[in-house]
Amino acid sequence: MDKLPCKECGALILPATFQKNHGSCRLCADGIKKETCEDCGKEATVLSNIDGKRICIKCNMSRTKPTTDTWKQSCSIEKHPFKIESLELSPYPNFEDVFLDKKLEGFFYPLCSVHFSGKENDKKHVFHLVSYNGLWLDQAEESAGLNEGYSAFELKDGKYDFKGNLKSFKGYADIPDLYRFLKEDFERSGTEYLNTGMTEEEYEDQVASHYTKQSESFDRAYYIYTFFNYAIKKLKQSRRQGAENLFSAFNTTDFIAASEELIVNEKYFAFPANLVNTIPLGACWSYEYGVDGNNTFAFYDPEKSLVYNVNQYS
Ligand SMILES: [Zn+2]
Ligand SMILES: [Zn+2]
């Protein structure tokens, strides 16, 4: 069925809509106000605020094209400083192999470690993709090391030195104790939970009946739910071979499409990291790890030895 252009704005619409609204799309028929694009001067219904101007979709796309073209180059196997064939994946690495500071346990989940060799000198590099899903940040406490956009870590001998402050997490004072409880319980009974197919609700009820300390300062149910799903997925992974779907490298179409969007919209982060100048590494999809919420995209700044674990909400 061929679509027809709306007589007012030119958007392509179904013939049925065309007929019903006497040649107009639904937006125009509803009288949604058209505005003048401040770039091309044409009338449009959908505009966004870009650098203090009202810009139509077409102009927005042509504005960002140079950036996305540069970025696509950065993600190409030819231009990338690491050999794609050297990629090795370690899903669910041990906490001690990822973080220098033990205090971070319970705040960050290690999703996977990726190993690459450099093209130039064959030097081996290791990076970690980590997530703080299950927790919320206190906006007033955000910093360039930890914020809604990303968490930043300095690489020191293959491990992460956290550049943010744990106080940025809501409930940070109560989390270590609850985490310890959950961890010890899961070490004792996790296999049983998996084998008996315990549900998230059953787990939550069980925790509530054994862990009675109160805390109003954070979303406990979300935290417990995330812990449980991650721990179960990790246990399942330990019983199988292979790691498909656990990491999408820098050259995959999934990674490129979504990271391109992050690059273009980074200016809306409270603390921009200038991602377009970093080396793209790849992404972990939160769903695959049971950590409901943001996906994790990793970018490497070799000059500062920083790795940005960027939150990508799909
Ligand atoms: Zn229209
Ligand atoms: Zn325009």
Side-chain angles (χ1 to χ4, degrees):
M1 195 174 359
D2 281 340
K3 289 188 172 182
L4 300 164
C6 161
K7 68 179 182 196
E8 293 173 66
C9 72
L12 291 176
I13 54 178
L14 292 170
T17 314
F18 188 91
Q19 211 160 30
K20 196 173 125 211
N21 298 325
H22 310 287
S24 300
C25 71
R26 195 182 51 80
L27 289 176
C28 288
D30 286 353
I32 302 282
K33 221 181 109 256
K34 274 190 279 192
E35 291 177 71
T36 308
C37 167
E38 290 180 59
D39 255 12
C40 65
K42 287 187 188 140
E43 299 256 287
T45 38
V46 184
L47 297 91
S48 19
N49 290 312
I50 312 280
D51 302 333
K53 280 194 190 174
R54 298 288 289 162
I55 307 289
C56 75
I57 293 173
K58 264 192 189 163
C59 289
N60 191 14
M61 274 171 66
S62 59
R63 276 179 159 228
T64 56
K65 200 169 177 302
T67 312
T68 54
D69 284 352
T70 309
W71 183 246
K72 279 199 187 90
Q73 284 290 311
S74 302
C75 295
S76 69
I77 291 176
E78 298 73 37
K79 286 276 154 74
H80 204 281
F82 299 146
K83 289 188 266 192
I84 187 69
E85 66 276 14
S86 69
L87 168 63
E88 277 174 45
L89 202 65
S90 316
Y92 300 98
N94 290 325
F95 189 87
E96 312 77 65
D97 296 333
V98 173
F99 299 102
L100 283 172
D101 187 353
K102 188 94 179 93
K103 285 200 201 77
L104 269 55
E105 204 173 0
F107 294 90
F108 288 96
Y109 293 101
L111 303 179
C112 77
S113 299
V114 292
H115 309 257
F116 283 110
S117 301
K119 278 179 187 164
E120 236 176 51
N121 52 13
D122 222 35
K123 186 174 175 250
K124 280 198 192 301
H125 298 262
V126 61
F127 305 98
H128 315 286
L129 284 90
V130 305
S131 166
Y132 65 77
N133 282 342
L135 288 171
W136 303 108
L137 296 176
D138 181 349
Q139 275 191 335
E141 298 283 342
E142 287 185 43
S143 71
L146 176 65
N147 53 70
E148 292 286 348
Y150 61 82
S151 46
F153 301 89
E154 191 179 341
L155 265 174
K156 287 184 178 164
D157 294 325
K159 292 188 190 181
Y160 277 179
D161 185 21
F162 182 40
K163 303 313 280 179
N165 189 334
L166 291 180
K167 285 187 183 172
S168 307
F169 287 111
K170 281 187 183 161
Y172 81 98
D174 298 323
I175 287 158
D177 190 68
L178 173 58
Y179 178 76
R180 214 171 302 120
F181 173 86
L182 297 177
K183 191 187 168 191
E184 283 168 14
D185 173 69
F186 203 88
E187 276 165 3
R188 271 193 310 269
S189 317
T191 307
E192 188 193 321
Y193 297 160
L194 176 58
N195 292 344
T196 57
M198 182 183 248
T199 66
E200 294 140 358
E201 292 76 22
E202 287 164 350
Y203 180 73
E204 231 182 281
D205 288 348
Q206 184 187 285
V207 171
S209 64
H210 289 90
Y211 188 85
T212 48
K213 274 183 210 168
Q214 290 303 309
S215 169
E216 300 296 315
S217 58
F218 72 114
D219 188 346
R220 213 162 97 164
Y222 177 42
Y223 185 81
I224 293 169
Y225 166 93
T226 308
F227 173 90
F228 180 69
N229 283 297
Y230 173 85
I232 289 285
K233 289 251 184 188
K234 181 178 177 175
L235 199 51
K236 278 187 184 164
Q237 178 65 27
S238 70
R239 295 179 177 183
R240 64 189 271 260
Q241 297 291 318
E244 63 275 14
N245 306 329
L246 291 181
F247 180 69
S248 293
F250 57 82
N251 64 322
T252 57
T253 47
D254 284 355
F255 174 81
I256 297 170
S259 63
E260 214 176 85
E261 222 171 283
L262 285 174
I263 296 285
V264 167
N265 295 316
E266 197 205 335
K267 50 180 171 278
Y268 304 116
F269 287 8
F271 298 91
N274 209 8
L275 295 176
V276 72
N277 295 326
T278 62
I279 297 172
L281 297 173
C284 286
W285 311 97
S286 57
Y287 164 78
E288 300 288 345
Y289 291 86
V291 289
D292 196 26
N294 293 308
N295 300 315
T296 298
F297 279 55
F299 302 82
Y300 174 45
D301 179 343
E303 263 167 53
K304 295 182 189 144
S305 233
L306 283 182
V307 182
Y308 296 102
N309 276 259
V310 178
N311 299 322
Q312 190 265 346
Y313 192 78
S314 57

